[in-house]
């Protein structure tokens, strides 16, 4: 499948998180410990929100992240308070730039690890459930992008958790109608540039791995030698497919069938279940 990282908090250099940790996302692109595949080399993408732009910037490429010189250059010079990074292992769709995550629509970014089972059988009906005004914006051939535009269709602008629940319900309804017993497997990150929502769910109730970090002040107290954390706010958070290292007290597993929201003030974890659209 894939590995991803979502960051929200004080502006940091992308390189501080993409390259420097012991088990960074770049390391995971070659040596994943918890993914279905050890190697995630079928493309990568990074998306970030800047201080002035209305929409996030997104770069994507089809080559592996571990030897991309442009990614290393950009990561060493770009700071952001909210960014996504994703390394891809294809589940059957083509290795092409338009299939790399994160996906963008207006101010929204989306990335996904998992799959819609038997997507080739369900793709037509799922695509037809997307609002016709949005359909022309589909650029690639992945289940992940179809999920994103279904969520946009089903009210992402007004109610992000509700839209993702209705998207999941639509996938399960169409999948089971077509005889697919457990249609959906997903960990998802989605953001509007102010808040970050993360979801962990599968029809089988055995979802792919997902972890969140402790508060930055807690980590600083436990591990004062982590230099990049010295200037960040206490509510800085990371959500990752697998931990960026083995430091005790830093990482916590996201509960099965739940979603979290990282936002100014109090973060939340709440139960997640699909909803019939």
């Amino acid at each position: 499948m894939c590995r991803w990282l979502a960051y929200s908090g004080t502006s940091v250099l992308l390189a501080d998180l993409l390259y420097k940790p012991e088990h960074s996302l770049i390391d995971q692109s070659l040596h994943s410990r918890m993914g279905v595949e050890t190697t995630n080399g079928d493309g990568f993408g990074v998306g970030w929100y800047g201080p002035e732009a209305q929409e996030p910037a997104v770069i994507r490429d089809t080559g592996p992240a571990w030897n991309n010189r442009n990614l290393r250059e950009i990561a060493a010079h770009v700071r952001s308070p909210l960014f996504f990074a994703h390394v891809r292992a294809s589940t059957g769709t083509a290795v092409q730039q338009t299939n790399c995550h994160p996906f963008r629509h207006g101010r929204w970014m989306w990335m996904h690890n998992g799959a819609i089972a038997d997507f080739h059988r369900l793709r037509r009906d799922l695509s037809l459930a997307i609002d016709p005004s949005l359909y022309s914006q589909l650029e690639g051939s992945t289940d992940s992008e179809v999920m994103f535009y279904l969520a946009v269709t089903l009210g992402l602008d007004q109610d992000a958790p509700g839209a993702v629940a209705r998207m999941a319900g639509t996938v399960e309804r169409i999948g089971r109608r077509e005889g697919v017993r457990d249609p959906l497997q997903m960990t998802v990150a989605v953001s509007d540039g102010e808040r970050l929502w993360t979801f962990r769910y599968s029809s089988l109730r055995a979802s792919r791995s997902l972890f969140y970090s402790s508060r930055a002040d807690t980590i600083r107290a436990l591990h004062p030698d982590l230099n990049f954390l010295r200037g960040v706010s206490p509510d800085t958070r990371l959500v990752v497919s697998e931990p960026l290292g083995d430091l005790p007290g830093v990482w916590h597993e996201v509960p099965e069938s739940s979603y979290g929201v990282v936002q100014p003030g109090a973060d939340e974890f709440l139960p997640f279940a699909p909803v019939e659209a």
Side-chain angles (χ1 to χ4, degrees), residues 108-124:
W108 291 96
M109 276 201 304
W110 172 283
M111 61 184 175
H112 166 234
N113 175 38
I116 295 176
D118 290 334
F119 179 58
H120 63 286
R121 291 170 52 194
L122 309 183
R123 180 180 175 184
R124 178 181 179 276

Side-chain angles (χ1 to χ4, degrees), residues 35-55:
V36 175
E37 298 87 7
T38 301
T39 303
N40 299 272
D42 294 329
F44 69 87
V46 177
W48 67 92
Y49 293 90
E52 298 177 4
Q54 296 298 307
E55 298 181 357

Side-chain angles (χ1 to χ4, degrees), residues 93-188:
T93 50
V95 178
Q96 61 192 45
Q97 192 176 89
T98 53
N99 283 345
C100 294
H101 309 221
F103 301 100
R104 174 180 60 191
H105 173 73
R107 71 180 189 276
W108 291 96
M109 276 201 304
W110 172 283
M111 61 184 175
H112 166 234
N113 175 38
I116 295 176
D118 290 334
F119 179 58
H120 63 286
R121 291 170 52 194
L122 309 183
R123 180 180 175 184
R124 178 181 179 276
D125 287 348
L126 290 172
S127 297
L128 288 174
I130 295 171
D131 188 294
S133 67
L134 297 170
Y135 185 81
S136 63
Q137 297 181 42
L138 284 169
E139 295 184 318
S141 56
T142 64
D143 51 0
S144 306
E145 189 180 22
V146 168
M147 290 165 64
F148 179 31
Y149 278 97
L150 274 173
V152 175
T153 296
L154 295 169
L156 192 64
D157 268 328
Q158 293 77 39
D159 173 17
V164 176
R166 290 186 287 274
M167 176 277 294
T170 300
V171 172
E172 292 197 329
R173 173 176 55 81
I174 291 175
R176 287 169 178 158
R177 186 184 70 197
E178 297 301 317
V180 181
R181 183 176 178 181
D182 296 305
L184 184 59
Q185 172 73 246
M186 71 175 204
T187 65
V188 163

Side-chain angles (χ1 to χ4, degrees), residues 20-28 31-33 242-245:
K20 292 184 179 180
E22 170 194 356
H23 188 46
S24 68
L25 192 69
I26 302 304
D27 182 63
Q28 291 176 31
H31 306 296
S32 172
R33 301 169 184 171
E242 59 186 80
L244 305 186

Side-chain angles (χ1 to χ4, degrees), residues 26-27 30 57 60 75 82 93 133 136 144 187 190 201 212 218 238 249 259 262 268:
I26 302 304
D27 182 63
L30 271 169
R60 301 183 288 181
L82 203 167
T93 50
S133 67
S136 63
S144 306
T187 65
V190 61
Y201 174 79
Y212 66 97
T218 301
L238 274 162
Y259 77 93
V262 179
E268 293 182 290

